[in-house]
Structure formats: structure tokens, C-alpha cells
Amino acid sequence: MSETEATPAVPSAKTPEFRSDVTVELVRSSAHDSDVLFAARVSTMGELTLDGAQASADGAQATKGAGLINYLMRDRHGSPFEHNSMTFYVQAPIFVFREFMRHRMASYNEESGRYRELNPVFYVPAPTRNLQQVGKPGAYDFLPGTPEQSALVDEATRAASTQAFEAYQRMLDAGIAREVARIVLPLNIYSSMYVTVNARSLMNFLSLRTKREGTHFPSFPQREIEMCAEKMEDLWAELMPLTYAAFGANGRVAP
Ligand SMILES: Cc1cc2nc3c(=O)[nH]c(=O)nc-3n(C[C@H](O)[C@H](O)[C@H](O)COP(=O)(O)OP(=O)(O)OC[C@H]3O[C@@H](n4cnc5c(N)ncnc54)[C@H](O)[C@@H]3O)c2cc1C
């Protein structure tokens, strides 16, 4: 495995652990605003852009070029935003990974439930997580639950996860293969993966998996994948501030 791989938290005993958050770490990147500029300028400058490309590879930041980046974003010239790379380490429940992996413009590697015993770490919604769904398909709103609903979600999630993990453990203890025993585990068990994207594919992901006022094409994502998207967005904004600003200024439309 890569020397950059983070070590997931492993519970000391095989008793279920419950979390209400997600982990997103930037483990590797080569992503600068200047990557966008040299790629775009080859259009009009050809080989004269080679110095800029080399400087970008050395990590030089763009000192000017906000105007060009904004023009590219506004007119949806997308390919200059592909000459960069970010690798994120993510821990989240499997129901989030299932949504994540619909985004084909990314590369994924996930831990295996066949080659390792899964850790008993399960997602339970935080008390602040909205629980009631109102509206119509494609434009739902989510409102706070009553105290009774919150208690029910918490209790039922913990009970079902604990019971499922006990069944998993019982099968493993009886010599059943991991790939068979895991079939009883619920979607709220955590998994871990590396996701590698470029800025263009990340913008497509963010446009669909965050809900923001003032976007040209509003989206209504599940809150838990939005929690991952928000952390990825913050990390990307630090790497490519001009590109990030242009994305926001142009309605968060992926170019
Ligand atoms: C709020 C929300 C609700 C959703 N609900 C459902 C649901 O109920 N059921 C369901 O199945 N999915 C659902 N999805 C998943 C959704 O349909 C997309 O699969 C997902 O958002 C990935 O988007 P994408 O295809 O743009 O991303 P990527 O796969 O990363 O593709 C990026 C872009 O590349 C191009 N592209 C990629 N592959 C192809 C291809 N084969 N042919 C042509 N162009 C391609 C397209 O321009 C695409 O926009 C939902 C997504 C969201 C955000």
C-alpha cells in the first residue's frame, strides 16, 4: 500500500462504534491555478507556454490570470481545468460511497470486505440532522424531526447495527468466509477509499452534491454525501483560489 495511506481508526474491542461525521483528507495533490493558465494559453501561444507549464509543475501560483480563468469558466471551456490532480482519503458510510461512485470522472480504490474483516464502525445521524422529508421528487426539503423521531432513529439505528454486526461476527467465528458473512452488514457501516479527481470533475461533483443558494442549477443532495463534498470543496479552495472563485461567480456550473 502507498506510504501516504492514512490509518483508519480501529476500535479496540469488537463492540460497535457509532459516528455521525465523515473523514476527508487531502493526501496528495498537484493542483494550481497556473495549471489552468498554461493549458489554456497553448491555444494562442503554442510552445511559448512551455516555461509556464514548467513553473506550474514546480508549484508556482498564478499571480495574474483571474480574468482568463473567469472567461474559461463562464464560457464553459472545460478542458484547461483537467490538467491537475487531487487525491482524497475518505471514510464514510457505504450508502454514501454508493452515491459517490456514480461520479465516473473520478478514480476510486476502496477497502475490501473480502480481504479484510470490516471494523464495526456505524453511522448514526446526529441530533441536528433533519429527519422529515417534504416536497416533491427532485426538490425535497428536509425539516427537523420531533424529539420522539430523533430518539427513534438513534435507537433503531444502534440496535439494527449491533444485531447485524453480531451476526457477522458469529459467522466469522464459525469459519464462514468474509465475503459471505458480510452480506448481513447494513449500508450505514463505514468504509474507506481513495478518490482522485481533477478540478473539472470535482466541480461537476460539487455542483450536484452540494445545495447552495444562487446556483444556476440547484441540486438536492443527501446530506451525508454533502458533508463529504463540503470538506473536499474547502480543501480544493485552498489549492486553486482563482478557479474556486470563478466557479462560485459563475453559478457553480461545472465547465
Ligand atoms: C440529487 C441527486 C439525485 C440522484 N438520484 C438518482 C436516482 O434516483 N437514481 C440514479 O440512478 N441516480 C441518481 N443520481 C445520480 C445521477 O444520475 C448521476 O449518475 C450522478 O450525479 C453522477 O453525475 P454525472 O454523470 O454528471 O457524473 P460523472 O459520471 O462524473 O460524469 C461527468 C460527465 O461526464 C459525461 N459522461 C460521463 N459518462 C458518460 C456517458 N456514459 N455518456 C455520456 N456522457 C457521459 C457527462 O457529461 C457527465 O455529466 C442522483 C444524483 C443526484 C445529485
Side-chain angles (χ1 to χ4, degrees):
M1 296 301 284
S2 149
E3 63 202 32
T4 56
E5 183 173 2
T7 309
V10 181
S12 51
K14 287 184 177 166
T15 49
E17 176 188 324
F18 290 90
R19 293 176 57 181
S20 303
D21 62 346
V22 296
T23 297
V24 176
E25 292 174 22
L26 181 72
V27 295
R28 180 177 301 158
S29 70
S30 172
H32 312 281
D33 289 320
S34 48
D35 298 334
V36 181
L37 297 173
F38 80 76
R41 285 176 176 149
V42 74
S43 172
T44 54
M45 294 167 63
E47 74 285 357
L48 300 177
T49 54
L50 274 170
D51 283 349
Q54 187 53 48
S56 183
D58 293 341
Q61 292 296 312
T63 50
K64 51 186 181 179
L68 176 55
I69 288 174
N70 192 61
Y71 156 76
L72 295 167
M73 192 77 70
R74 190 195 65 210
D75 284 19
R76 303 191 66 218
H77 293 293
S79 51
F81 298 101
E82 297 172 10
H83 299 268
N84 57 80
S85 173
M86 290 162 270
T87 299
F88 298 94
Y89 172 75
V90 181
Q91 285 181 354
I94 283 180
F95 69 83
V96 171
F97 279 24
R98 183 171 169 172
E99 295 185 339
F100 233 115
M101 290 182 182
R102 299 303 306 278
H103 295 265
R104 295 157 288 180
M105 284 201 306
S107 303
Y108 303 94
N109 278 94
E110 183 184 358
E111 71 175 283
S112 168
R114 299 180 66 212
Y115 302 137
R116 70 174 302 200
E117 189 177 324
L118 296 174
N119 292 322
V121 183
F122 297 93
Y123 176 76
V124 63
T128 51
R129 204 258 191 238
N130 288 339
L131 297 179
Q132 295 194 56
Q133 180 174 320
V134 295
K136 56 182 190 327
Y140 286 120
D141 265 326
F142 291 86
L143 306 176
T146 63
E148 293 74 24
Q149 287 175 324
S150 292
L152 173 63
V153 168
D154 192 80
E155 182 276 317
T157 304
R158 287 172 191 269
S161 306
T162 303
Q163 187 185 34
F165 191 72
E166 282 168 5
Y168 174 67
Q169 203 64 60
R170 225 171 37 247
M171 285 193 265
L172 292 182
D173 292 347
I176 307 291
R178 288 182 290 260
E179 68 180 26
V180 176
R182 71 169 172 175
I183 66 175
V184 297
L185 293 172
L187 291 176
N188 69 327
I189 194 167
Y190 276 73
S191 189
S192 61
M193 67 173 173
Y194 289 103
V195 187
T196 297
V197 291
N198 60 48
R200 188 182 191 185
S201 55
L202 181 61
M203 284 187 271
N204 186 64
F205 176 79
L206 295 177
S207 71
L208 291 165
R209 299 300 184 180
T210 58
K211 183 182 179 193
R212 295 287 165 85
E213 294 296 321
T215 54
H216 282 349
F217 305 107
S219 191
F220 300 88
Q222 166 122 11
R223 177 59 195 144
E224 286 78 9
I225 194 168
E226 187 178 35
M227 286 154 54
C228 295
E230 287 170 353
K231 288 177 182 253
M232 292 166 77
E233 178 164 342
D234 289 347
L235 292 162
W236 171 57
E238 282 183 35
L239 296 172
M240 302 179 77
L242 299 181
T243 305
Y244 179 63
F247 176 57
N250 289 280
R252 296 173 69 88
V253 178

